[in-house]
Amino acid sequence: MPIRGTTVTITTLLKNPATGLPEDAPTETLELIVWDPTGGEEVYIKGEAALEEAAHYGTGQYRYEVVGTITGLWNYRWYVNGEAADEGTFPITSADH
């Protein structure tokens, strides 16, 4: 498990809802929102800058690095065109665990 203060890589594989095949997000529509364990919300990537900030490493595949600064369970959600496309969680532990 990642320890507080370390970097966590959040990945997604976006798929076309009709075909189920991997598909790239339109340039200005990719968004990633992350909630820390206290409920604090941070919009990490959004709009035209999204593809500059998120690493694109294959058709429909994106990743973004977040520093886990608070111990507990973090939540994230990727959006395309304002619609939820993928979501998940990751834990951050304290150094003494």
Side-chain angles (χ1 to χ4, degrees):
M1 277 192 241
I3 297 172
R4 185 177 55 229
T6 61
T7 301
V8 174
T9 302
I10 300 173
T11 62
T12 190
L13 174 59
L14 303 177
K15 296 181 180 181
N16 180 304
T19 66
L21 297 173
E23 181 176 82
D24 289 340
T27 304
E28 64 281 346
T29 66
L30 184 64
E31 182 177 10
L32 172 63
I33 298 178
V34 179
W35 294 269
D36 68 33
T38 68
E41 178 182 298
E42 184 70 39
V43 177
Y44 280 96
I45 57 177
K46 184 174 182 171
E48 293 182 17
L51 295 182
E52 295 172 13
E53 297 174 28
H56 179 245
Y57 61 99
T59 303
Q61 297 176 317
Y62 299 88
R63 68 176 170 256
Y64 189 81
E65 294 182 343
V66 175
V67 177
T69 56
I70 300 172
T71 301
L73 189 63
W74 292 60
N75 295 277
Y76 63 88
R77 187 172 296 140
W78 292 89
Y79 291 87
V80 176
N81 291 320
E83 299 287 326
D86 189 16
E87 62 186 10
T89 62
F90 60 90
I92 297 292
T93 62
S94 63
D96 56 357
H97 261 102

